[in-house]
Protein backbone atom coordinates (compact mmCIF):
# COMPACT_ATOMS: atom_id res chain seq x y z
CA UNK A 1 0.00 0.00 0.00
CA UNK A 2 1.42 3.45 -0.83
CA UNK A 3 2.38 5.58 2.20
CA UNK A 4 -0.20 8.05 3.42
CA UNK A 5 1.77 11.07 2.20
CA UNK A 6 1.73 9.60 -1.30
CA UNK A 7 -1.98 8.88 -1.08
CA UNK A 8 -2.78 12.38 0.05
CA UNK A 9 -0.76 13.78 -2.83
CA UNK A 10 -3.47 12.35 -5.05
CA UNK A 11 -6.05 14.77 -3.70
CA UNK A 12 -7.67 17.22 -6.08
CA UNK A 13 -8.23 20.16 -3.76
CA UNK A 14 -10.55 23.04 -4.55
CA UNK A 15 -10.35 24.65 -1.14
CA UNK A 16 -10.28 28.21 -2.48
CA UNK A 17 -13.89 28.09 -3.68
CA UNK A 18 -15.98 30.47 -1.58
CA UNK A 19 -15.04 32.85 1.23
CA UNK A 20 -12.92 31.73 4.17
CA UNK A 21 -15.89 31.79 6.60
CA UNK A 22 -18.08 29.62 4.35
CA UNK A 23 -18.96 26.03 5.13
CA UNK A 24 -16.26 23.59 4.03
CA UNK A 25 -17.41 20.35 2.35
CA UNK A 26 -15.17 17.40 1.53
CA UNK A 27 -16.51 15.78 -1.66
CA UNK A 28 -15.34 12.19 -2.08
CA UNK A 29 -15.49 10.57 -5.52
CA UNK A 30 -15.88 6.98 -4.34
CA UNK A 31 -13.60 4.10 -5.33
CA UNK A 32 -10.54 4.53 -7.55
CA UNK A 33 -8.73 3.27 -10.65
CA UNK A 34 -7.57 0.02 -9.04
CA UNK A 35 -10.92 -1.02 -7.54
CA UNK A 36 -13.41 0.98 -9.59
CA UNK A 37 -16.57 -0.29 -7.90
CA UNK A 38 -19.66 -1.48 -9.75
CA UNK A 39 -19.77 -1.99 -13.50
CA UNK A 40 -22.62 -0.38 -15.40
CA UNK A 41 -24.75 -2.18 -17.96
CA UNK A 42 -22.61 -0.63 -20.71
CA UNK A 43 -19.35 -1.75 -19.11
CA UNK A 44 -18.43 1.74 -17.87
CA UNK A 45 -17.20 1.63 -14.28
CA UNK A 46 -18.76 3.28 -11.26
CA UNK A 47 -15.59 5.26 -10.51
CA UNK A 48 -16.02 7.24 -13.72
CA UNK A 49 -19.64 8.08 -12.89
CA UNK A 50 -18.57 9.05 -9.37
CA UNK A 51 -15.91 11.41 -10.72
CA UNK A 52 -18.40 13.12 -13.04
CA UNK A 53 -20.99 13.71 -10.33
CA UNK A 54 -18.41 14.71 -7.70
CA UNK A 55 -16.96 17.34 -10.04
CA UNK A 56 -20.43 18.71 -10.75
CA UNK A 57 -21.21 18.73 -7.01
CA UNK A 58 -18.09 20.79 -6.29
CA UNK A 59 -19.22 23.35 -8.88
CA UNK A 60 -22.75 23.44 -7.47
CA UNK A 61 -21.51 23.87 -3.88
CA UNK A 62 -19.11 26.63 -4.92
CA UNK A 63 -21.95 28.43 -6.71
CA UNK A 64 -23.80 28.52 -3.36
CA UNK A 65 -20.76 30.11 -1.68
CA UNK A 66 -19.31 27.03 -0.01
CA UNK A 67 -15.67 26.03 0.26
CA UNK A 68 -14.91 22.58 -1.18
CA UNK A 69 -12.18 19.99 -1.30
CA UNK A 70 -12.54 17.11 -3.75
CA UNK A 71 -10.76 13.84 -3.10
CA UNK A 72 -10.28 10.98 -5.52
CA UNK A 73 -7.67 8.36 -6.28
CA UNK A 74 -5.62 9.35 -9.32
CA UNK A 75 -3.22 6.58 -10.29
CA UNK A 76 -3.83 4.73 -7.01
CA UNK A 77 -6.76 4.09 -4.72
CA UNK A 78 -7.19 5.88 -1.40
CA UNK A 79 -8.47 3.56 1.35
CA UNK A 80 -11.95 4.57 2.55
CA UNK A 81 -10.78 5.10 6.13
CA UNK A 82 -8.18 7.63 4.95
CA UNK A 83 -10.34 9.74 2.68
CA UNK A 84 -11.41 12.15 5.41
CA UNK A 85 -7.73 13.02 5.93
CA UNK A 86 -7.95 15.05 2.74
CA UNK A 87 -9.65 17.83 4.73
CA UNK A 88 -9.96 16.80 8.40
CA UNK A 89 -11.32 20.23 9.34
CA UNK A 90 -14.24 20.05 6.87
CA UNK A 91 -17.76 20.57 8.17
CA UNK A 92 -19.19 17.62 6.23
CA UNK A 93 -18.00 14.72 4.08
CA UNK A 94 -20.20 13.69 1.14
CA UNK A 95 -19.15 10.44 -0.54
CA UNK A 96 -20.53 9.97 -4.07
CA UNK A 97 -21.31 6.50 -5.43
CA UNK A 98 -23.45 4.68 -8.00
CA UNK A 99 -25.17 1.38 -7.33
CA UNK A 100 -25.37 -2.20 -8.54
CA UNK A 101 -27.31 -5.19 -7.18
CA UNK A 102 -26.40 -8.58 -5.75
CA UNK A 103 -25.04 -11.20 -8.16
CA UNK A 104 -28.10 -13.41 -7.74
CA UNK A 105 -30.29 -10.75 -9.35
CA UNK A 106 -27.84 -10.19 -12.18
CA UNK A 107 -27.72 -13.94 -12.86
CA UNK A 108 -31.52 -13.98 -12.99
CA UNK A 109 -31.57 -11.10 -15.48
CA UNK A 110 -33.45 -8.85 -13.06
CA UNK A 111 -31.21 -5.78 -13.20
CA UNK A 112 -33.86 -3.66 -14.91
CA UNK A 113 -36.12 -4.02 -11.86
CA UNK A 114 -33.87 -1.85 -9.68
CA UNK A 115 -33.63 1.93 -9.77
CA UNK A 116 -33.43 4.93 -7.49
CA UNK A 117 -31.07 6.61 -5.06
CA UNK A 118 -30.04 5.54 -1.55
CA UNK A 119 -28.45 7.57 1.25
CA UNK A 120 -26.37 6.08 4.06
CA UNK A 121 -25.21 7.31 7.45
CA UNK A 122 -23.31 5.58 10.25
CA UNK A 123 -24.42 5.83 13.84
CA UNK A 124 -20.78 5.14 14.79
CA UNK A 125 -19.70 8.42 13.22
CA UNK A 126 -18.76 10.96 15.94
CA UNK A 127 -21.65 13.18 14.77
CA UNK A 128 -24.56 10.84 13.98
CA UNK A 129 -27.36 13.36 14.54
CA UNK A 130 -25.72 15.98 12.32
CA UNK A 131 -25.00 13.33 9.67
CA UNK A 132 -28.63 12.25 9.68
CA UNK A 133 -29.89 15.83 9.52
CA UNK A 134 -27.79 16.48 6.42
CA UNK A 135 -28.92 13.17 4.89
CA UNK A 136 -32.53 14.27 5.36
CA UNK A 137 -31.89 17.65 3.74
CA UNK A 138 -30.26 15.88 0.78
CA UNK A 139 -33.12 13.39 0.49
CA UNK A 140 -35.69 16.17 0.48
CA UNK A 141 -33.87 18.00 -2.33
CA UNK A 142 -33.38 14.78 -4.31
CA UNK A 143 -37.11 14.12 -4.23
CA UNK A 144 -37.89 17.73 -5.09
CA UNK A 145 -35.67 17.23 -8.16
CA UNK A 146 -37.81 14.27 -9.25
CA UNK A 147 -35.66 11.42 -7.91
CA UNK A 148 -37.16 8.46 -6.06
CA UNK A 149 -35.50 6.33 -3.38
CA UNK A 150 -34.76 2.64 -3.77
CA UNK A 151 -35.82 0.14 -1.09
CA UNK A 152 -33.37 -2.48 -2.33
CA UNK A 153 -30.72 -2.13 0.38
CA UNK A 154 -33.26 -2.77 3.14
CA UNK A 155 -34.15 -6.19 1.70
CA UNK A 156 -33.57 -8.95 4.32
CA UNK A 157 -31.08 -10.83 2.16
CA UNK A 158 -27.40 -11.67 2.46
CA UNK A 159 -25.25 -8.69 1.54
CA UNK A 160 -28.02 -6.14 2.14
CA UNK A 161 -30.35 -5.79 5.15
CA UNK A 162 -29.40 -2.15 5.78
CA UNK A 163 -32.27 -0.87 7.92
CA UNK A 164 -34.14 2.28 7.03
CA UNK A 165 -33.79 5.28 9.29
CA UNK A 166 -36.15 7.23 7.05
CA UNK A 167 -37.97 5.13 4.45
CA UNK A 168 -39.65 8.11 2.78
CA UNK A 169 -36.33 9.80 2.07
CA UNK A 170 -34.40 6.61 1.33
CA UNK A 171 -31.96 6.91 4.25
CA UNK A 172 -30.32 3.78 5.66
CA UNK A 173 -28.08 3.03 8.62
CA UNK A 174 -24.85 1.31 7.57
CA UNK A 175 -22.21 1.24 10.28
CA UNK A 176 -19.84 -0.93 8.23
CA UNK A 177 -18.87 1.84 5.80
CA UNK A 178 -15.38 2.96 6.87
CA UNK A 179 -15.60 6.24 4.98
CA UNK A 180 -18.54 7.24 7.21
CA UNK A 181 -17.62 5.51 10.46
CA UNK A 182 -14.06 6.83 10.71
CA UNK A 183 -14.63 10.39 9.46
CA UNK A 184 -14.03 12.99 12.22
CA UNK A 185 -16.76 15.19 10.74
CA UNK A 186 -20.43 14.43 9.94
CA UNK A 187 -20.57 12.20 6.88
CA UNK A 188 -23.14 11.05 4.31
CA UNK A 189 -22.82 8.58 1.43
CA UNK A 190 -25.10 9.03 -1.61
CA UNK A 191 -25.77 6.24 -4.11
CA UNK A 192 -27.09 8.36 -6.97
CA UNK A 193 -28.75 5.53 -8.87
CA UNK A 194 -28.42 1.98 -10.20
CA UNK A 195 -26.03 1.85 -13.16
CA UNK A 196 -26.49 -1.88 -13.75
CA UNK A 197 -30.01 -1.01 -14.96
CA UNK A 198 -29.49 -0.03 -18.65
CA UNK A 199 -32.17 2.67 -18.70
CA UNK A 200 -31.04 4.13 -15.37
CA UNK A 201 -27.41 4.10 -16.46
CA UNK A 202 -28.24 6.01 -19.64
CA UNK A 203 -30.17 8.61 -17.66
CA UNK A 204 -27.45 8.99 -15.00
CA UNK A 205 -24.81 9.56 -17.67
CA UNK A 206 -26.59 12.51 -19.27
CA UNK A 207 -25.04 15.93 -18.47
CA UNK A 208 -28.47 17.36 -17.62
CA UNK A 209 -29.09 14.60 -15.07
CA UNK A 210 -25.65 15.01 -13.52
CA UNK A 211 -26.19 18.76 -13.18
CA UNK A 212 -29.65 18.31 -11.67
CA UNK A 213 -28.45 15.72 -9.15
CA UNK A 214 -25.43 17.83 -8.20
CA UNK A 215 -27.61 20.87 -7.59
CA UNK A 216 -30.07 18.87 -5.48
CA UNK A 217 -27.31 17.41 -3.29
CA UNK A 218 -25.60 20.80 -3.02
CA UNK A 219 -28.83 22.51 -1.99
CA UNK A 220 -29.40 19.90 0.71
CA UNK A 221 -25.86 20.23 2.02
CA UNK A 222 -26.00 24.01 1.98
CA UNK A 223 -29.33 24.11 3.83
CA UNK A 224 -28.08 21.70 6.47
CA UNK A 225 -24.80 23.49 7.14
CA UNK A 226 -26.50 26.89 7.18
CA UNK A 227 -28.68 25.71 10.09
CA UNK A 228 -26.62 25.66 13.31
CA UNK A 229 -29.35 23.62 15.00
CA UNK A 230 -29.54 20.84 12.39
CA UNK A 231 -29.19 17.53 14.17
CA UNK A 232 -29.90 18.91 17.65
CA UNK A 233 -32.85 17.90 19.78
CA UNK A 234 -35.07 20.59 21.24
CA UNK A 235 -33.56 19.99 24.66
CA UNK A 236 -30.07 20.75 23.36
CA UNK A 237 -30.94 24.02 21.62
Amino acid sequence: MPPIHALLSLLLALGCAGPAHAAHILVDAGHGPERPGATGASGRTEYLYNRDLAAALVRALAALGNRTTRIEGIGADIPPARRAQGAPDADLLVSIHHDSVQARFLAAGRQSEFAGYSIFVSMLNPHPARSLACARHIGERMQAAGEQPSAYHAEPIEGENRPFIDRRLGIHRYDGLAVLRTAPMPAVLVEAGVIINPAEETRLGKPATITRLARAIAQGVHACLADPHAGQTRGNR
Side-chain angles (χ1 to χ4, degrees):
M1 179 182 297
I4 186 60
H5 64 81
L7 291 170
L8 294 181
S9 71
L10 302 176
L11 299 180
L12 179 57
L14 299 172
C16 294
H21 64 274
H24 183 187
I25 300 96
L26 176 57
V27 178
D28 168 39
H31 298 289
E34 298 171 310
R35 295 182 177 86
T39 301
S42 70
R44 189 171 190 247
T45 62
E46 176 189 353
Y47 172 56
L48 298 178
Y49 287 99
N50 297 345
R51 290 183 66 186
D52 290 346
L53 182 53
L57 177 57
V58 164
R59 293 191 295 271
L61 286 166
L64 293 172
N66 301 285
R67 296 173 56 217
T68 59
T69 298
R70 187 167 104 228
I71 181 170
E72 61 184 58
I74 300 173
D77 289 0
I78 302 173
R82 297 186 181 183
R83 289 180 176 251
Q85 296 179 27
D89 62 339
D91 298 299
L92 178 70
L93 182 152
V94 180
S95 188
I96 296 297
H97 288 258
H98 290 74
D99 231 341
S100 185
V101 296
Q102 295 292 328
R104 69 179 75 179
F105 299 119
L106 298 180
R110 295 180 57 190
Q111 54 264 42
S112 295
E113 298 177 18
F114 301 92
Y117 73 85
S118 300
I119 304 174
F120 297 92
V121 295
S122 170
M123 294 296 103
L124 300 182
N125 177 276
H127 309 280
R130 186 75 162 169
S131 299
L132 178 55
C134 289
R136 283 184 165 134
H137 276 284
I138 292 170
E140 293 282 6
R141 298 319 191 279
M142 293 276 281
Q143 291 199 4
E147 299 297 313
Q148 295 298 318
S150 168
Y152 165 68
H153 290 291
E155 291 289 331
I157 59 174
E158 184 178 358
E160 299 302 334
N161 202 26
R162 315 298 177 196
F164 274 116
I165 297 176
D166 191 320
R167 178 181 292 271
R168 180 179 69 86
L169 297 178
I171 301 170
H172 302 259
R173 176 175 178 170
Y174 191 176
D175 292 335
L177 291 170
V179 70
L180 302 181
R181 185 184 69 247
T182 64
M185 71 287 289
V188 176
L189 186 148
V190 178
E191 295 274 8
V194 184
I195 56 172
I196 198 63
N197 177 332
E200 178 110 313
E201 182 190 28
T202 298
R203 185 179 71 88
L204 291 168
K206 292 180 177 179
T209 303
I210 294 169
T211 298
R212 182 166 48 77
L213 287 172
R215 287 176 177 168
I217 297 169
Q219 289 165 0
V221 168
H222 185 75
C224 179
L225 296 181
D227 179 3
H229 301 301
Q232 296 184 14
T233 61
R234 289 186 180 273
N236 290 332
R237 292 188 182 184

